[in-house]
Amino acid sequence: MPEIEFITSSVADPASAVKVELVEEGELRSPLASLGGSSLEDFSAAGLGFNAKAATTLLIPLAGSTPVIVVGMAAGTEDADELRKVGAAVARSAKGFEDASVVIPSYLENLGPMSLRYLTEGIVLASYGFDKYRTDPEALAAASKLGRVTYVVTAPEAIGAAEEIARGVAVAGATCLARDLANEPASAMTPTVFAARANELVAAHPELSIEVWDEGRIEEERLGGLIGVARGSTEPPRVVKLTYTPKSPAEKVVALVGKGITFDSGGLSLKPPDGMTTMKTDMSGAAAVLASMLALPDLEVPVKVVGFMMLAENMPGGSATKPGDVLVTRSGKTIEVLNTDAEGRLVLADGLALATEESPDYVVDIATLTGACVVALGREIAGVFTNSQELVTDLGFAGDVAGEQLWQLPLPDRYRKHIRSEVADIKNMGEAGQAGAIAGAMLLAQFVGNVPWAHLDIAGPSRSASADGYLPVGGTGFGARLLCYFLEEFGD
Ligand code: BES
Ligand code: ZN
Ligand code: ZN
């Protein structure tokens, strides 16, 4: 995870290896202190094809003094995610340098500390790389070296940014942790390893307590969905239950549930090879729950949060669940498993039952649930389903600020028939070729009773095919920031 120190100061750090100027689009005439009062026009930047468009960059080497990087940005931009992308451009262009002084334009300084928080998030997020399995020195040398950033503002005390910068570091750090967990190969991130890692990470926070349920406890708790999925694997399942208790008395309780399939082969309904290559990231929901909850103490979230991470490996094997088998879930409801590749909803059925038992005010589950949701909304937008419009409004707002967009899909009563079973209460598949993301959500809805609930289907945005802006290739950590911002909102 990137470890970067952030400082605000009224002067550029003279020791900085590079100075960064943020320039609004088209503003090539303003004198820049880093260029000794010269403008970009004086440096013929336009002649080089540079016009300071959003997220374009130009490195200017200066004989005998610190090099300058110019980062363009849309004129007057205040948008959280645009600023995050400017931060990303700063980090990517300053990758080879150990420290940087970033001159903050006065209009951004006047916007207040949040602008520095968003820039900080962009810098941390874009400095991320998953390099632990690389040995090639050239590839390793290409990793970001940025260790310190000094924001140069006219009134460092007045802007009071330290707290917001720290919150930015916390939520971007949560995203990076979720990425690390997802990028780890499946054989190195089994349910047991995930739970052990959670245990280690939680130890640093007195506000968090953890229970890890092993196979014995899972059996005692009658988690038939989770057991049914894990049966084909030699790796035993785990449930991680995490509780965050705020320092001040909590008025509300929020329960989170994460899909934690550490590898999804499809089970006996085996996936084709191409569909399986990325299935180590099928635990991205659980990763987002763990990572966001670890940030709650730093964010001073005032509500109690209980998280359930439902961890199992979905494999074919001699004792695997077979198509046609019926599972008895924790709630007592029975599910006919017609496709063992629709396993996420089976483990979430138990997770949602556990969550509702906590008498929560809200339940949110997050899962890489359906390929159908990727078809519907693509790789950059997650689906959201609900029985509470108010909850979706709040989650959607948090997503917009976090740069993690949600789009609501319906849960129409008329499609309840899609999950009707010949022999059990429900079946785990909908109708072939129709509304697959809705069928998944419809099954989950049977396990939340009347509690306000939302389901986030992150199958699309949980992975990115290429590095772009603040997104790396591979696991994106989608959802960790959104959950942080959502839970932070309860403070306002
Ligand atoms: N983990 C997959 C969903 C998925 C697909 C996530 C692509 C990320 C990218 C899930 O367990 C699954 O396989 N769902 C099936 C359900 C179907 C069998 C009803 C699907 O979407 O095809
Ligand atoms: Zn599956
Ligand atoms: Zn899956």
Side-chain angles (χ1 to χ4, degrees):
M1 235 183 295
E3 288 292 336
I4 308 174
E5 186 191 356
F6 291 89
I7 299 159
T8 21
S9 164
S10 57
V11 286
D13 179 353
S16 280
V18 67
K19 288 185 188 165
V20 180
E21 291 276 3
L22 307 182
V23 175
E24 292 176 70
E25 182 167 2
E27 291 286 322
L28 301 187
R29 291 204 186 146
S30 329
L32 299 175
S34 316
L35 297 179
S38 300
S39 71
L40 288 170
E41 198 173 64
D42 299 332
F43 272 79
S44 305
L48 296 171
F50 184 79
N51 58 3
K53 261 204 164 88
T56 54
T57 61
L58 179 69
L59 172 69
I60 304 178
L62 296 173
S65 82
T66 314
V68 173
I69 293 172
V70 191
V71 173
M73 54 193 288
T77 190
E78 300 181 9
D79 179 73
D81 212 40
E82 286 305 316
L83 290 172
R84 215 172 266 121
K85 286 175 191 159
V86 172
V90 170
R92 290 202 190 275
S93 57
K95 223 175 162 193
F97 299 96
E98 276 162 19
D99 41 26
S101 286
V102 181
V103 184
I104 302 300
S106 54
Y107 97 86
L108 266 189
E109 183 173 345
N110 294 337
L111 280 180
M114 287 307 279
S115 58
L116 291 189
R117 170 172 177 170
Y118 301 137
L119 283 178
T120 301
E121 290 181 19
I123 291 173
V124 174
L125 292 169
S127 302
Y128 175 86
F130 187 74
D131 296 320
K132 66 182 275 200
Y133 292 105
R134 295 189 200 281
T135 62
D136 173 16
E138 240 172 78
L140 286 170
S144 174
K145 292 180 190 58
L146 206 53
R148 189 165 44 149
V149 172
T150 305
Y151 292 122
V152 185
V153 292
T154 50
E157 267 71 54
I159 183 169
E163 194 174 311
E164 285 306 338
I165 291 174
R167 287 165 177 254
V169 169
V171 300
T175 302
C176 293
L177 171 62
R179 291 172 179 177
D180 269 346
L181 294 167
N183 285 330
E184 196 63 50
S187 296
M189 187 51 65
T190 61
T192 329
V193 174
F194 185 107
R197 188 93 182 84
N199 214 21
E200 255 168 51
L201 289 164
V202 161
H205 302 281
E207 299 91 336
L208 289 166
S209 64
I210 182 168
E211 281 181 24
V212 175
W213 296 359
D214 64 7
E215 330 59 305
R217 176 75 186 268
I218 288 169
E219 198 84 48
E220 268 169 44
E221 300 285 348
R222 306 178 321 279
L223 306 188
L226 184 64
I227 294 167
V229 171
R231 273 174 59 179
S233 171
T234 53
E235 292 294 337
R238 290 288 183 268
V239 172
V240 173
K241 178 183 180 185
L242 208 53
T243 306
Y244 164 79
T245 313
K247 289 215 172 90
S248 51
E251 279 170 22
K252 294 223 158 122
V253 180
V254 178
L256 304 176
V257 182
K259 169 175 172 181
I261 301 299
T262 57
F263 187 70
D264 183 9
S265 71
L268 288 176
S269 313
L270 199 65
K271 286 182 182 293
D274 284 352
M276 219 188 279
T277 53
T278 57
M279 283 302 136
K280 68 175 183 181
T281 51
D282 210 23
M283 34 56 73
S284 297
V289 171
L290 174 59
S292 60
M293 286 189 70
L294 286 163
L296 301 185
D298 280 344
L299 300 174
E300 297 173 304
V301 164
V303 291
K304 179 177 167 183
V305 183
V306 186
F308 290 95
M309 284 141 269
M310 309 304 289
L311 303 157
E313 201 182 60
N314 186 23
M315 295 287 276
S319 48
T321 292
K322 307 161 192 75
D325 281 357
V326 174
L327 303 178
V328 183
T329 64
R330 174 171 181 88
S331 71
K333 287 204 167 88
T334 54
I335 308 178
E336 184 187 11
V337 179
L338 289 180
N339 189 320
T340 63
D341 195 12
E343 82 298 339
R345 58 200 80 181
L346 303 175
V347 306
L348 291 177
D350 287 335
L352 289 168
L354 289 168
T356 56
E357 289 167 30
E358 299 289 321
S359 318
D361 296 283
Y362 304 100
V363 174
V364 179
D365 78 71
I366 176 162
T368 47
L369 203 71
T370 65
C373 203
V374 191
V375 174
L377 299 175
R379 293 235 156 258
E380 295 179 53
I381 301 173
V384 60
F385 301 81
T386 196
N387 59 9
S388 157
Q389 214 46 45
E390 180 207 347
L391 178 57
V392 162
T393 304
D394 290 348
L395 285 165
F397 177 74
D400 288 345
V401 179
E404 298 182 326
Q405 201 190 333
L406 302 179
W407 192 261
Q408 189 176 3
L409 295 170
L411 270 177
D413 273 343
R414 64 199 312 158
Y415 286 175
R416 174 73 177 72
K417 59 179 178 274
H418 287 194
I419 56 168
R420 216 171 273 155
S421 159
E422 279 178 21
V423 296
D425 296 335
I426 39 182
K427 64 180 164 84
N428 79 331
M429 272 190 73
E431 297 292 306
Q434 285 185 58
I438 294 176
M442 186 77 74
L443 183 145
L444 301 182
Q446 313 306 311
F447 295 88
V448 294
N450 294 322
V451 182
W453 152 79
H455 155 58
L456 309 180
D457 191 334
I458 61 165
S462 63
R463 289 186 57 87
S464 163
S466 59
D468 181 24
Y470 57 72
L471 288 184
V473 63
T476 58
F478 188 100
R481 267 195 330 284
L482 185 152
L483 291 174
C484 285
Y485 274 95
F486 169 66
L487 294 165
E488 250 189 292
E489 273 172 38
F490 284 96
D492 303 330

